Amino acid sequence: YEETRLQFAEVEIPGMLLPPPPTPPPSLSPSVSPSKVPSASPTLNPTDSPTAELPEGGILVNSIIDSAGSYLPFGCNTWSRAWASVDGSLEKFHCDRTDLQDVPAGQVFSPPYVQATIAKKVRVYAGDANANVSPIDVTLEGRVNPEAPWESIGSGDLEFNNNFERNVRSTAVFIESTYESGDVNYTYAEVDFPSNNAVYSDYKVTFSATRKYEETRLQFAEVEIPGMLLPPPPTPPPSLSPSVSPSVPPTAYPTHPPTPSPTAAVADNAQAVNTILYPGSVESSGCSRTVRAGSAIAPTTEKFFCDHLDMPTQDGIWVDSLTFSPAHGKLSVAKDLRLYTHNNCANCDCVDYLLEGRVDASSAWEEIGSGDFPWKDQAVCRNTRGITINSTFESGDSDRCYDSVGFPSHSTPYLDYKYTCRRTRGNHRYHQVGRIELAGYILE
């Protein structure tokens, strides 16, 4: 009884994760009732309301699948780069179909966490090889969990835009698409499912044949399933939001000693901006696989993903970095580093950082700040993927979940910046973030 400490290693709550409801809620339009023509038809039969109503509270995103989950190919003798179909770049997926021309091929996509979604379209981006290896049609199926049977969502022919021009093959060229449209800078085909409002977690994308029947290869660059991410049933308790407010007492810049003038002066003609990083280029290091590196600075909560699998550690801890070269090409002064949470995996948040700058590509990196983020030992709310962030120089977006550390006494201008995550909350295999902002001044 007299003990002054309470300690334990872990708390587990064994229980059941319930799948999302497999049938539409009663409030949805009767035009999408199961009693109507099955949604698997390539041309959905006209109804009084051909576009199905969607639940409130969901978020429309460019794709409800990503490389954070699994992406198992089928119908292939062998395959290469299965991850490339959902990595957000123009690197291509390859499937060897020798003697399997009459066997459908494709991939099964399953999230690593419970995520109820509604698919409204499917997009396929062409690869770099000749058009004969591209698929000619697509079928989409869904299921509520791995034990449930597959249910048909729809199918259709793949009619590629841009006169069927081929896309350059590159892991450094990222697709910038939205729910409404694919990236018009690249060649892709899209099939819509306007009458679908069925809720699923896993998806199966099937291609029946390539453009040339005798072709022994199936290749494409990317698969997107535009649709809606549904929020989880429970709502965050009110106490979560304030925990990531900018008003949290600063604790994360121990490297800055007190000075007589804690707020350093900046030139009068400097432009104050919410982030000096965007637009610009992003390069990652320390990751065996990187997904959507550009999303690390883009003005939404679409997440950056880093996989540390098979990467060396520093004293048993995975470390990775992002190098930013702003497009404005001007010197700037960093004042506030902000991290916005992604949609899942609190243990994948960075809690220990190092921020550095350099004046040009040939110069050495110099430290700006380092230490823990205030949210290190706090419960943190999550941001839904793909939501626009509206921030200012003075403050991050108060409608989003984020944390920040400031550098009030820093006044050294730099051209490039390097952000290193020295530890995630759970020393997790994955490092994920919704967005990184570096508020500061651009010098004219």
Side-chain angles (χ1 to χ4, degrees):
Y1 174 80
E2 294 80 7
E3 182 57 61
T4 59
R5 298 170 299 166
L6 169 65
Q7 296 182 356
F8 52 87
E10 184 83 4
V11 172
E12 293 181 338
I13 304 179
M16 174 177 288
L17 293 174
L18 298 178
T23 57
S27 60
L28 296 175
S29 169
S31 65
V32 293
S33 169
S35 62
K36 292 291 184 180
V37 178
S39 60
S41 173
T43 55
L44 299 171
N45 284 1
T47 67
D48 293 336
S49 177
T51 302
E53 297 179 12
L54 292 171
E56 295 182 359
I59 301 297
L60 295 173
V61 295
N62 69 325
S63 186
I64 55 180
I65 58 174
D66 64 31
S67 62
S70 62
Y71 29 82
L72 181 65
F74 62 89
C76 309
N77 293 309
T78 61
W79 61 81
S80 303
R81 300 173 299 277
W83 50 265
S85 62
V86 283
D87 74 335
S89 80
L90 291 181
E91 178 60 278
K92 69 180 178 183
F93 164 73
H94 169 85
C95 167
D96 177 11
R97 287 165 47 80
T98 303
D99 298 327
L100 296 177
Q101 284 85 348
D102 293 325
V103 177
Q107 287 179 280
V108 172
F109 302 98
S110 301
Y113 49 87
V114 176
Q115 176 66 70
T117 54
I118 298 177
K120 299 301 288 183
K121 314 173 187 180
V122 62
R123 294 186 194 126
V124 180
Y125 288 79
D128 66 324
N130 69 79
N132 291 332
V133 302
S134 295
I136 61 172
D137 58 22
V138 63
T139 297
L140 183 65
E141 299 169 275
R143 65 186 180 189
V144 295
N145 59 56
E147 288 72 40
W150 289 109
E151 299 178 3
S152 179
I153 295 173
S155 62
D157 294 334
L158 293 172
E159 300 294 337
F160 288 84
N161 65 345
N162 294 338
N163 295 318
F164 224 104
E165 291 291 327
R166 313 312 292 159
N167 291 319
V168 63
R169 176 185 174 186
S170 175
T171 56
V173 178
F174 293 96
I175 297 169
E176 300 291 340
S177 59
T178 64
Y179 168 78
E180 292 78 13
S181 172
D183 192 330
V184 296
N185 295 307
Y186 307 113
T187 300
Y188 70 92
E190 180 176 291
V191 176
D192 294 350
F193 311 116
S195 295
N196 179 59
N197 66 351
V199 177
Y200 299 110
S201 181
D202 298 350
Y203 291 92
K204 183 179 183 181
V205 175
T206 303
F207 307 108
S208 68
T210 52
R211 188 159 296 274
K212 182 179 179 181
Y213 174 79
E214 296 82 6
E215 185 57 61
T216 60
R217 298 171 298 163
L218 167 67
Q219 295 183 359
F220 53 86
E222 187 82 3
V223 173
E224 293 180 335
I225 304 180
M228 175 173 282
L229 295 174
L230 299 177
T235 56
S239 61
L240 288 181
S241 294
S243 67
V244 293
S245 169
S247 62
V248 174
T251 61
Y253 42 90
T255 59
H256 294 293
T259 67
S261 177
T263 301
V266 179
D268 293 338
N269 63 344
Q271 177 188 2
V273 295
N274 68 329
T275 181
I276 56 185
L277 304 179
Y278 180 84
S281 64
V282 183
E283 294 184 5
S284 66
S285 61
C287 308
S288 57
R289 182 165 55 95
T290 300
V291 182
R292 294 177 301 274
S295 293
I297 58 172
T300 73
T301 55
E302 183 57 76
K303 67 181 176 183
F304 158 77
F305 173 89
C306 167
D307 189 349
H308 296 127
L309 180 65
D310 297 328
M311 298 301 294
T313 62
Q314 297 182 14
D315 297 325
I317 298 174
W318 278 304
V319 176
D320 65 90
S321 300
L322 291 172
T323 300
F324 309 107
S325 296
H328 53 70
K330 300 177 181 179
L331 293 174
S332 56
V333 178
K335 286 296 184 180
D336 195 41
L337 174 63
R338 303 170 188 151
L339 261 61
Y340 290 80
T341 60
H342 56 283
N343 63 316
N344 68 302
C345 186
N347 283 335
C348 302
D349 294 335
C350 184
V351 296
D352 184 356
Y353 79 97
L354 168 65
L355 182 66
E356 300 169 283
R358 66 184 181 188
V359 294
D360 57 51
S362 61
S363 301
W365 291 106
E366 299 176 359
E367 181 173 335
I368 298 171
S370 63
D372 292 341
F373 281 99
W375 68 15
K376 178 179 181 179
D377 298 313
Q378 300 174 357
V380 184
C381 60
R382 317 310 299 170
N383 289 312
T384 301
R385 284 176 53 192
I387 304 177
T388 299
I389 295 173
N390 296 305
S391 57
T392 64
F393 167 77
E394 293 79 12
S395 173
D397 190 334
S398 59
D399 292 328
R400 308 288 175 250
C401 304
Y402 75 95
D403 201 0
S404 66
V405 291
F407 315 108
S409 58
H410 171 69
S411 61
T412 305
Y414 295 110
L415 179 65
D416 300 331
Y417 293 89
K418 184 178 182 181
Y419 165 79
T420 300
C421 178
R422 302 192 298 189
R423 187 186 186 99
T424 56
R425 183 174 285 108
N427 191 25
H428 203 280
R429 168 183 161 182
Y430 300 145
H431 169 211
Q432 302 184 45
V433 62
R435 190 195 193 193
I436 299 173
E437 288 182 342
L438 189 58
Y441 296 94
I442 298 175
L443 305 184
E444 298 297 335

